[in-house]
Amino acid sequence: MTLIPALYGLGWLLAQPIGRVMPDASGSQISLIGTVITFVLFILVLPGWVRLRWNSRQPWLALGLRSRRDEASSGTCLLRGLLRSAGLLALICLPLLLGSWGRWLGELTAADALNALLLFLGLGLAEELVFRGWLWGELNALSGPRTAVIGQAAIFSLAHTRFDQGVFPMLGLLTGLLLLGLILAVQRRLDGGSLWGCIGLHGGLVGGWFALRSGVLQISPSAPVWLIGPGGVHANPLGGLVGIIALCVLLWRQLTALARAARP
């Protein structure tokens, strides 16, 4: 459990000299560079860590980045996850359009499309490898599978929640993100251990919402928080009532499918 903090500290230290080489770089830019360095270090040490800590000879299979031969392909899992994210975003956008809080523009610049794609692949891959790959495996080794599922979802929720929004918005974000963490864990179970369905679902939500806010959909400033979620300009729809209900429905459908798959 000390791997990420140790690597983050090392990444931060390695990023500091950049401020001298690039005097115009802002603190946020240096912090971003430190985060990228941390992730590169994480990728480099992860295979050896898994072999040593988890006693696994196939670290990328244990982490879910490789699929077993008898399971669905990585591309199929990725596409399914992406389609689920599109369904969730559609459920959130529909009330906006029907309630006159949103207007469909369908405009997206090449730069915004590229940013959305980078968020989809980059952030989806990085965060799923950390939370549903490494962290879940660590918690599973320490406390067992059931506690690990809940634990990784709770840590995922706390790591992404903003605590400067007030009590009720904060509770909404905590709830929505906790549900998403559970959904992503169940998704990996449904995909036979593959992480690619989680990457498609998580990355699709982040990249898709960015694309929608960047020009595809114009959202009125008067749109209610219960619909688009807390955060103002940077609203997270998973913290709104519609997002939470949609996540509950998806989790129920997943658990039903998991129960059916477990039957002889």
Side-chain angles (χ1 to χ4, degrees):
M1 295 294 290
T2 60
L3 177 63
I4 295 296
L7 291 179
Y8 188 82
L10 182 58
W12 182 84
L13 288 173
L14 293 174
Q16 297 313 301
I18 296 175
R20 300 176 183 178
V21 179
M22 302 170 58
D24 296 333
S26 65
S28 60
Q29 289 174 325
I30 294 175
S31 178
L32 177 60
I33 293 171
T35 301
V36 172
I37 294 174
T38 298
F39 185 68
V40 171
L41 293 173
F42 177 70
I43 292 295
L44 292 175
V45 305
L46 192 56
W49 179 277
V50 172
R51 290 189 185 98
L52 179 64
R53 291 271 296 180
W54 303 358
N55 194 28
S56 174
R57 295 183 179 181
Q58 301 184 63
W60 298 120
L61 181 62
L63 289 163
L65 290 183
R66 282 181 54 194
S67 300
R68 295 180 176 87
R69 293 181 179 179
D70 57 340
E71 299 290 345
S73 67
S74 300
T76 300
C77 293
L78 183 70
L79 180 59
R80 289 174 181 171
L82 182 59
L83 290 174
R84 289 186 176 92
S85 71
L88 283 172
L89 290 175
L91 290 175
I92 293 169
C93 292
L94 189 59
L96 284 170
L97 294 170
L98 294 178
S100 300
W101 292 301
R103 186 162 67 93
W104 187 264
L105 299 178
E107 300 174 358
L108 193 65
T109 65
D112 286 335
L114 179 60
N115 284 334
L117 182 61
L118 291 175
L119 285 171
F120 165 56
L121 291 175
L123 190 63
L125 173 61
E127 293 209 346
E128 287 311 302
L129 187 57
V130 170
F131 287 100
R132 256 61 60 183
W134 170 78
L135 179 61
W136 190 3
E138 287 291 296
L139 293 174
N140 187 53
L142 290 171
S143 57
R146 181 168 297 183
T147 305
V149 169
I150 299 173
Q152 62 82 27
I155 294 174
F156 174 76
S157 176
L158 290 169
H160 288 81
T161 296
R162 296 176 59 185
F163 294 94
D164 59 348
Q165 302 291 318
V167 175
F168 290 108
M170 179 191 69
L171 290 176
L173 275 175
L174 283 171
T175 302
L177 290 167
L178 178 68
L179 287 169
L180 179 60
L182 294 173
I183 285 170
L184 291 167
V186 177
Q187 185 63 53
R188 187 177 176 190
R189 289 282 302 276
L190 288 170
D191 290 337
S194 174
L195 203 62
W196 289 100
C198 305
I199 295 170
L201 176 52
H202 188 174
L205 287 173
V206 177
W209 184 244
F210 174 84
L212 287 169
R213 294 299 302 263
S214 296
V216 176
L217 183 68
Q218 184 182 51
I219 300 177
S220 170
S222 63
V225 174
W226 61 264
L227 182 54
I228 63 168
V233 178
H234 304 289
N236 189 332
L238 300 184
L241 182 61
V242 173
I244 290 173
I245 292 174
L247 290 171
C248 285
V249 172
L250 177 56
L251 181 59
W252 171 74
R253 288 176 60 88
Q254 285 183 317
L255 292 174
T256 301
L258 197 62
R260 288 175 179 170
R263 292 173 186 168

